[in-house]
Amino acid sequence: MLNHFRLSMAWVHTWFGLVLGFVLMVAFFFGSLSVFDREIDRWAVPATRFAPQPMPSYDHLLADVYARLKPDPVDMAATAKRVVGELPAADTMPLVSLFAYTTHRDPVLLIGGEFGIPNQPKNPADDHLHVHGRATVDPRTGEFLPDDALKIGSDWFYPLHYSLNLNWMRLGIYVVGLAGLAMLVALVTGVIMHRKVFREFFTFRPNKRLQRSALDLHNMTGVVALPFHFFFAFTGVLIFAGFYYFPVTHTLLKPLHDQHEVLEAADTGLPHDEAGVPAPLASVDAMVAEAKRIWAERDMAGEVGFLTIKHLGDANGYVSIYRAGSDRVALVGEGIHFKASTGELLREDPPRSPVESIAQFLTGLHLQHFEHWALRWLYVLGGLLGCVCIATGFVFFVEKRKQDHARRGLQGSRIVDALAVTTVTGMVLAAVAMLVANRVLPEAMAGKGEWEKAVFWGVWVLALLHASWRSSPVARAWRNPAWAEQCWLLVALSVAAVLLNWITTGDHLLKTVLIEPYWPVAGVDLSLLGCAALAACCARKLAKPKTVSAAARGAEVVYD
């Protein structure tokens, strides 16, 4: 009975892992890159290659920046469908709330706000009718950085790992959530399948047949990083559960949610609605200084990471100042709130309950906003071990079945192998090709970010076509040469990206490592060279010819 149960678990593990493993591969790989998403941004946007900056003065710099901030044209077009009559001109929309955000790894400042729409009747069913604006600012000068400069790390690779950048009806988020649940199932069934987990921790036979070596590596990487894989699959699903997977507070329970907001505002003393009475804004810098004094009294001195102003220009306006929590794992802000018109202290966020502390710790551990560089690299290692585990699972699946499929004339192994090549080497090719395009396309080119995205998807599609075209040997139980060919192409593109960064910016490795150390750019260049070296090793291994026995293959030379 126990053996029958273990076989059932093996079936679940195999097919859940195969069907959704392609999505998990994307989530793990781009999740690994997202650990250093801000550093990739520095590489991709040379204008932001300077030292991280603290939150700048509101009174002397940001006030003028917000005066120049305009509503986003795309958001204006979407909002125009919800207003009564014509949407007013952008210059007539008052800024009613704003925010500013920075981290210890961000030289630039992200700002944004909500613009009110004058002369609109109050609609209880649509009480959040605003037009949004957002911009990236140089905190040293207050100058806006070009909108076409795509932040490849934080605005492309990072959302790709949890949403696949498929934003229609939030389809990608739901697919990744389903894959996360499948990952939890695969981990549990994998443990049940393998009775000798401890031995498999130390077992890797690289010189055996590919099927044996792939299974050893699959088991070893799965066991070594098992806690990491389980934690990130679980917390990833948990973080999005309330927002997207079970959003009852914004659907079925929306009236109750709205009422709770009003009661909470009354309880905290932070006004929920505008008073309708104009009021000036007191010195925000003085409020920031007071917030820092309060944090220092709590023995947690620090800089401001997030600043918001609600009901700007209204008597009910208030300023919220949150501490940059990069010195701790838990995602906490220790918010201090002031009355906007007078600077009077309204509220200090109270101590967290045990449940809130656990939630903030788990969220912070997943989102990793902390400064601990060694731990960040362990995150990268854990994510890449997940990629190896999934990739070797694909290889084992194909190697175990391809001879039987060849005898029976089936195409299943060929299809899975082509998809595996696309998901493993093709995905990395697409990411590196995007970096190459970033350095090739002119900085001032209109719509440069959209072209970079097009290169990413285009190269990935080409990798799929190439893997499918070259997969015919798999139908004869041979190796798909696309594995080695795409690895060699990856070597060329990775080295080209490093050279192009040197040519277009002058930031070569000698400069960024020794002469004027700037590790965000140096780290990306070194990672690209490491990728090239690893791809070259894999290509040499995969392209090594081997003569198979005459009885088995008619003495033909095939790829092993």
Side-chain angles (χ1 to χ4, degrees), residues 21 55 68 71 78 115 151 166 200 231 356 369 372 446 461 483 524:
M55 183 72 70
R68 293 182 280 120
F115 293 83
K151 298 176 183 176
L166 299 176
E200 290 169 348
F231 171 81
E356 289 173 328
H369 285 290
H372 200 301
V461 169
W483 284 102
V524 176

Side-chain angles (χ1 to χ4, degrees), residues 15 20 38 107 117 129 183 211 238 313 345 371 417 442 457 498:
W15 292 103
L20 290 169
R38 267 40 178 232
I117 304 175
L129 189 60
M183 179 75 180
Q211 179 179 332
L238 194 65
L345 178 64
E371 292 186 33
D417 187 85
W457 293 122
V498 176

